[in-house]
Amino acid sequence: MALSDHLRELRARIIKVALILAVGFCVALVFYDRLFDLVYNPYLDAQRALGSHRTQGVTEGVGAGFLLYFKLSGLAAVVATSPLWLYQIWAFILPALLPREKRWTAMFVAIAGPLFILGVVIGYVTLPKGVQILISFNHSGVLNLVEFNDYLSFFIHTLLMFGVAFEIPVFVVMLNKAGVLPARVLKSARPWIVLGIFVFAAAATPSTDPFTMCMMAIPMCILYGIAEVIARVSDRRKEARKPYADLDPDQPSPLP
């Protein structure tokens, strides 16, 4: 297509994304109370474990509740409609990809999506324990006031880090398929990679407690092990497809 056609296509995709987000935002406004409970329940679980005399949730400013109403609804709209607006981006890029690239990209999306959701779910399950440990560092005679906007940022950061962490094995497999990371390199570097996973989990989890760190690091180690096995099988298939792969490299070839 000509450049003007590409720009018109881009404009049409942007308009569709805007309409999708607008509809999602309106729907989120209707279900705001349920969204609020979904986000706030991990803190309430931590509060019940600590006792209401130790911590209390607050909002700051006259218009804080109003801004929170729209902020949380907008966030929910972006997350809930992500398959639709991501498809619009995918549909814009798709014509430029080769058939092999389309196949690998589709496989990547099919695997990366569920893994990201799995990471978010595990992050949500472990969040109350992390919040409880962080608040417990306060002296028993001091009331901890949790401003909801700060808590919302903490909530998003935690779930996002868990989701991204579960994507690392997918990138390992993709780099192996591209020939950047052979299986022998993954095997030799395995102890350092496992150590790096635990260091990453310790730095990525805001709660700094070993329970939350292990809930991120142990599944990552398991997924890395699966990725290494896939890379090993893939490298063997590549070697088998090479000409003269079954010949001994030390054996001289016959002369005609």
Side-chain angles (χ1 to χ4, degrees):
M1 291 192 299
L3 178 60
S4 58
D5 294 330
H6 282 293
L7 293 176
R8 278 192 288 269
E9 174 72 11
L10 178 61
R11 181 184 62 183
R13 297 294 177 185
I14 292 175
I15 292 174
K16 290 180 180 178
V17 169
L19 290 175
I20 289 170
L21 292 176
V23 172
F25 180 76
C26 294
V27 174
L29 290 175
V30 175
F31 295 97
Y32 173 78
D33 291 337
R34 295 183 182 180
L35 292 172
F36 184 88
D37 293 339
L38 180 68
V39 173
Y40 205 44
N41 277 338
Y43 170 76
L44 294 179
D45 292 340
Q47 186 186 49
R48 283 190 288 268
L50 292 167
S52 59
H53 63 283
R54 296 287 303 275
T55 180
Q56 183 67 45
V58 297
T59 56
E60 184 178 355
V62 176
F66 178 78
L67 293 177
L68 180 62
Y69 191 81
F70 285 95
K71 183 178 180 179
L72 187 56
S73 298
L75 176 64
V78 171
V79 174
T81 61
S82 58
L84 299 176
W85 57 260
L86 284 174
Y87 171 77
Q88 296 300 322
I89 299 175
W90 163 253
F92 179 74
I93 301 174
L94 186 62
L97 299 179
L98 299 173
R100 185 172 181 271
E101 294 172 341
K102 293 178 183 178
R103 184 171 64 253
W104 281 112
T105 308
M107 187 180 301
F108 172 80
V109 173
I111 298 174
L115 282 179
F116 184 84
I117 294 174
L118 177 63
V120 169
V121 170
I122 293 178
Y124 186 83
V125 171
T126 59
L127 189 61
K129 186 66 176 179
V131 173
Q132 177 185 343
I133 291 174
L134 284 175
I135 295 177
S136 65
F137 281 102
N138 288 276
H139 192 271
S140 58
V142 178
L143 177 64
N144 176 262
L145 298 179
V146 178
E147 209 279 322
F148 190 85
N149 282 305
D150 292 338
Y151 169 75
L152 182 60
S153 299
F154 175 83
F155 179 89
I156 295 171
H157 173 76
T158 302
L159 299 193
L160 185 62
M161 291 306 299
F162 268 87
V164 171
F166 277 60
E167 298 297 318
I168 293 178
V170 180
F171 287 103
V172 170
V173 174
M174 296 299 290
L175 290 174
N176 173 262
K177 290 293 184 181
V180 178
L181 277 178
R184 64 178 183 275
V185 175
L186 296 175
K187 181 180 179 180
S188 61
R190 186 189 305 149
W192 295 104
I193 292 176
V194 172
L195 177 62
I197 287 174
F198 276 89
V199 172
F200 170 82
T205 50
S207 59
T208 68
D209 65 285
F211 172 77
T212 307
M213 180 191 71
C214 291
M215 287 297 293
M216 176 184 286
I218 292 175
M220 283 181 65
C221 291
I222 295 173
L223 291 172
Y224 172 77
I226 296 173
E228 185 180 337
V229 172
I230 295 174
R232 192 178 307 165
V233 173
S234 177
D235 285 356
R236 288 177 181 174
R237 289 181 177 178
K238 289 180 183 177
E239 292 294 331
R241 288 196 296 266
K242 290 182 179 179
Y244 314 114
D246 56 339
L247 297 180
D248 186 358
D250 297 327
Q251 180 180 359
S253 58
L255 297 175

